[in-house]
Amino acid sequence: MKQLTQKLKNGFMQILDAPLPQVGSTTILIKNYYSLVSAGTEGNTAKAARSNILEKAKSRPQQVNQVLNTLKTQGPIQTYRAVIKKLEAYSPLGYSCAGVVLAVGERINDISVGDLVACAGNNYAYHAEVVSAPRNLVVKLPKIFNNKLTEDSFMQSAAYNTLGSIALQSVRLADLRLGETCAVIGLGLLGQIACLLLRASGVRVVGIDVSSDMVTLANEKCADFAMLRDTAGIEHIISDYTCQLGCDAVIIAAGTSSLDPINFAGSICRKKGTVVVLGDVPTGFDREPHYYRKELTLKMSCSYGPGRYDPAYEEKGIDYPPAYVRWTENKNMLAFQQLIASGKIDVSYLTTHIFALEESTKAYDMIVDKSEPFVGILIRYDQSQQTLQSAVFVREPKKISGVMGIGFIGAGSYAQSFLLPNIPKSGTAMRGVMTSTSASARTVADRFGFEFCSTSENDIFGCQNIQTLFIATRHNTHGEFVIKALSNDQHVFVEKPLCLQRDELEQIRSLAEGKKHTHVMVGFNRRFSPLTEFIKSKIGVGPMAMMYRVNAGSIPVDSWIQDREIGGGRIHGEVCHFVDYLIFMNGSLPNSVCAHAVPDALGLNDTLTVSLSFVNGSVGTIQYFANGSKSFPKEYFEVHAHGLSATMNDYREAIIFGKGKPEKKKLLVQDKGQTQEVRLFIEAIQKGLPTPIALEDILAGSETCFAIEESIRTGHAVRLK
């Protein structure tokens, strides 16, 4: 399919051949009729991308700090890779569209193939021939009751879906009654739609803007009266219009760094009135004389409404009970579309330009250059296009015999920084890559030389030229994909964890033990660090006492990692690393686990201590803390055995203590072993060597993580088989 993309590096835009997005159990596949270009949000994005590096840095101080932190901890190579990943990626654009349903997920029963729908979301409603979006970000369009609308004109108006729901949420927060007065400051797209919605609800509307063109348009189409902000005596005019009462509410739909809108809103609002911030404006208002003396209520309008930024609502499709949350973001979308279909509001006048997808880059040139007046800009899609494929071939396949064909399922930040760059060029061929989004799949294919890209794992498993598979997806898919790879006789490297379910672990055990010549490896990179090798060579094997302390830091509760169904929590997601490290360091498997977690209201078990005993008599503790200081070093390891002691600090320095002078080894930059682990894995396959991590270690590590959870849950030690 075709998709509009932009590169952050230089702002270059192109219509990209990208793989077709996929349908999940709670998502809907939509063929676009029209999508809306946000002149404000997307225009700023395009302008920023076209700026030079210094201007980019000035406008993104937070990202600059992240780069500096990466440089400090991981060195110049990883920093360069991280920056290039961002700059060279094909970034999709768009967040509001309308089209026809091509396919629906198995858990959706109220939308069918062939239905006309509108879609919202800056991660879904792209400028692309086909998009895939979760159920709660899609609304089924009502029947047209306004005889002035054709299907095509209705679809054009329906494409305003996102802006309509955003504006409607601000109107709801204003909480106005029939006959009351509301002022709207800022008469761009959002402000105009807010005015339309207010008038449709019987509210008297005063519009204010700095642009005479927008004021004229509002006076003609959506406001009872509108005027320029610098109109002489504007406050007295509004006071007279409201019979000296003042506006019952003010909605600020402007975008500016000035404090004028927030202070002006306070001056024209009546006592105990409401000010709703819809646009991007600072809120450092003057307390006196208006906000304090009038006891004004200031509200922030959050995008489309309740449900926004809630993964359970948006991604999983879990709705709120209507009795308690009457107007969610999806219901706001539906209400907006019903108003259009009934003819109670008409947004068609806002559309000043329509570009075919092939010409859509010209829309952004017009916005950035301000070459002509514009308000609403739509992108139109050719409905005669029928050729849609889940995979896109970007280069001719290599037909050299004896090379190892490599495939990737998942290729996010970690894979692009630590896995893909470390695959040796000699004796390998990058066959196919699959990611969850179309633009990212094409980005990785182009950057790392894959022959094809896809959004469907079936294209990877179905490729006969892929002998070795790397899996770097979200944790809940690891077990399923490892099982498929082993059933397909493919060597597999999977990022931790191996799996999240015990039944998956048993299937993997059975398959892997029955395939002696098929390699299975988990990305436990730390055992391959040069500092680990240094300590291991000095300490040797046998009974030892070990301690691994991790200052992990907190992760937001709404992160996918914290979702037990998707990420599995931090025990499976990260503690598994340190379990494997202790297994490797002492050279035997755990036989007993006792774990305790610091109680928290959500039961996340993010701060815990694990005590392990091993078959050879070794003991070890893992202290995993999510409640420490960010300025404190992250990882520290200590081991004592045979009259020797050793410490390792954050994979930058190791010290061996014996009878004489301590022996030190320092690294210029942190090295957690990712380069070595990938190299050894590929080499083992090519030369017929044993897998770098023994299967029994991998299986025991997973078993131990399940046992840690059980020990915390029961309060008792758990014996391992």
Side-chain angles (χ1 to χ4, degrees), residues 354-374:
I354 299 178
F355 291 87
L357 176 63
E358 293 73 20
E359 302 291 324
S360 56
T361 58
K362 295 179 180 178
Y364 293 86
D365 294 337
M366 179 182 69
I367 293 170
V368 173
D369 299 336
K370 297 181 180 179
S371 56
E372 58 183 279
F374 57 84

Side-chain angles (χ1 to χ4, degrees), residues 491-685:
H491 306 293
V492 58
F493 179 109
V494 59
E495 263 309 314
K496 50 80 187 168
L498 176 64
C499 59
L500 294 182
Q501 306 297 328
R502 284 187 179 272
D503 61 334
E504 291 177 333
L505 179 61
E506 293 311 312
Q507 288 185 65
I508 293 169
R509 184 194 307 275
S510 177
L511 284 168
E513 289 177 347
K515 294 179 181 290
K516 300 299 184 181
H517 301 292
T518 302
H519 294 265
V520 181
M521 181 158 158
V522 179
F524 293 135
N525 51 278
R526 285 162 174 80
R527 61 162 65 196
F528 299 102
S529 168
L531 293 185
T532 302
E533 181 182 352
F534 171 65
I535 294 174
K536 180 78 170 173
S537 67
K538 302 295 182 180
I539 294 293
V541 294
M544 58 183 67
M546 303 168 288
M547 187 273 286
Y548 204 124
R549 190 265 302 144
V550 188
N551 179 38
S554 62
I555 293 179
V557 67
D558 59 355
S559 166
W560 68 268
I561 295 172
Q562 301 283 31
D563 188 318
R564 291 304 177 95
E565 293 180 6
I566 300 174
R570 301 184 80 174
I571 292 172
H572 288 285
E574 192 169 46
V575 173
C576 60
H577 262 308
F578 315 113
V579 171
D580 177 77
Y581 197 87
L582 298 190
I583 289 174
F584 173 72
M585 191 57 69
N586 89 95
S588 71
L589 304 181
N591 59 11
S592 177
V593 177
C594 184
H596 299 279
V598 174
D600 65 77
L602 299 174
L604 295 177
N605 298 329
D606 278 8
T607 298
L608 65 153
T609 296
V610 180
S611 296
L612 299 171
S613 63
F614 294 84
V615 173
N616 69 356
S618 296
V619 293
T621 61
I622 299 170
Q623 298 174 326
Y624 187 88
F625 305 142
N627 57 353
S629 168
K630 291 182 179 180
S631 62
F632 194 66
K634 184 182 178 184
E635 295 182 37
Y636 171 83
F637 173 71
E638 189 174 300
V639 57
H640 306 269
H642 318 303
L644 298 174
S645 298
T647 62
M648 185 276 298
N649 288 286
D650 243 352
Y651 294 92
R652 300 176 72 97
E653 180 185 58
I655 306 175
I656 308 294
F657 297 87
K659 294 182 179 179
K661 184 179 179 182
E663 187 177 354
K664 295 183 180 181
K665 184 170 184 175
K666 285 187 176 182
L667 303 179
L668 292 177
V669 296
Q670 186 183 70
D671 187 342
K672 290 186 177 181
Q674 290 96 342
T675 301
Q676 182 75 337
E677 72 167 343
V678 173
R679 184 187 69 79
L680 290 176
F681 174 68
I682 298 296
E683 185 179 272
I685 299 171

Side-chain angles (χ1 to χ4, degrees), residues 312-387:
Y313 180 88
E314 291 192 337
E315 297 177 16
K316 296 183 178 181
I318 301 174
D319 204 352
Y320 303 137
Y324 298 94
V325 186
R326 175 62 182 91
W327 292 107
T328 60
E329 58 181 334
N330 188 268
K331 291 182 177 67
N332 276 339
M333 294 177 205
L334 179 59
F336 174 69
Q337 299 296 345
Q338 288 171 335
L339 289 169
I340 293 173
S342 65
K344 292 179 180 177
I345 65 170
D346 179 9
V347 299
S348 62
Y349 76 92
L350 294 170
T351 302
T352 57
H353 295 77
I354 299 178
F355 291 87
L357 176 63
E358 293 73 20
E359 302 291 324
S360 56
T361 58
K362 295 179 180 178
Y364 293 86
D365 294 337
M366 179 182 69
I367 293 170
V368 173
D369 299 336
K370 297 181 180 179
S371 56
E372 58 183 279
F374 57 84
V375 184
I377 303 167
L378 294 176
I379 296 176
R380 182 180 64 246
Y381 300 86
D382 185 355
Q383 296 307 304
S384 66
Q385 293 287 344
Q386 299 296 329
T387 305

Side-chain angles (χ1 to χ4, degrees), residues 39-40 160 163 167 182-199 205-231 234 238 250-256 261 264 278-279 281 349-350 352 374-376:
Y160 283 80
L163 291 183
C182 183
V184 177
I185 300 174
L187 297 173
L189 278 176
L190 271 177
Q192 297 273 335
I193 296 174
C195 289
L196 287 170
L197 295 169
L198 289 163
R199 288 189 76 179
V205 181
V206 178
I208 301 108
D209 201 280
V210 296
S211 166
S212 59
D213 290 339
M214 293 297 99
V215 168
T216 299
L217 191 62
N219 273 319
E220 292 175 355
K221 298 292 185 179
C222 64
D224 290 290
F225 83 96
M227 51 189 159
L228 287 167
R229 171 63 184 92
D230 61 2
T231 299
I234 186 172
I238 294 174
V250 181
I251 295 175
I252 303 175
T256 177
F264 178 62
L278 171 61
V281 296
Y349 76 92
L350 294 170
T352 57
F374 57 84
V375 184

Side-chain angles (χ1 to χ4, degrees), residues 75-112:
I77 295 176
Q78 294 305 331
T79 303
Y80 174 79
R81 288 174 178 172
V83 171
I84 288 298
K85 172 188 172 293
K86 290 288 187 182
L87 294 178
E88 292 288 354
Y90 296 119
S91 300
L93 297 163
Y95 73 154
S96 189
C97 62
V100 61
V101 174
L102 295 179
V104 297
E106 59 190 24
R107 290 172 56 187
I108 297 173
N109 54 24
D110 58 344
I111 289 181
S112 304

Side-chain angles (χ1 to χ4, degrees), residues 34-103:
Y34 292 94
S35 59
L36 176 71
V37 177
S38 170
T41 302
E42 293 183 65
N44 289 336
T45 300
K47 184 177 180 181
R50 298 180 187 190
S51 62
N52 59 46
I53 291 294
L54 182 59
E55 291 170 335
K56 285 183 173 73
K58 287 181 178 179
S59 65
R60 293 175 172 83
Q62 186 175 359
Q63 285 85 344
V64 171
N65 286 334
Q66 290 175 352
V67 170
L68 294 176
N69 288 335
T70 303
L71 181 63
K72 180 180 178 181
T73 59
Q74 299 181 19
I77 295 176
Q78 294 305 331
T79 303
Y80 174 79
R81 288 174 178 172
V83 171
I84 288 298
K85 172 188 172 293
K86 290 288 187 182
L87 294 178
E88 292 288 354
Y90 296 119
S91 300
L93 297 163
Y95 73 154
S96 189
C97 62
V100 61
V101 174
L102 295 179

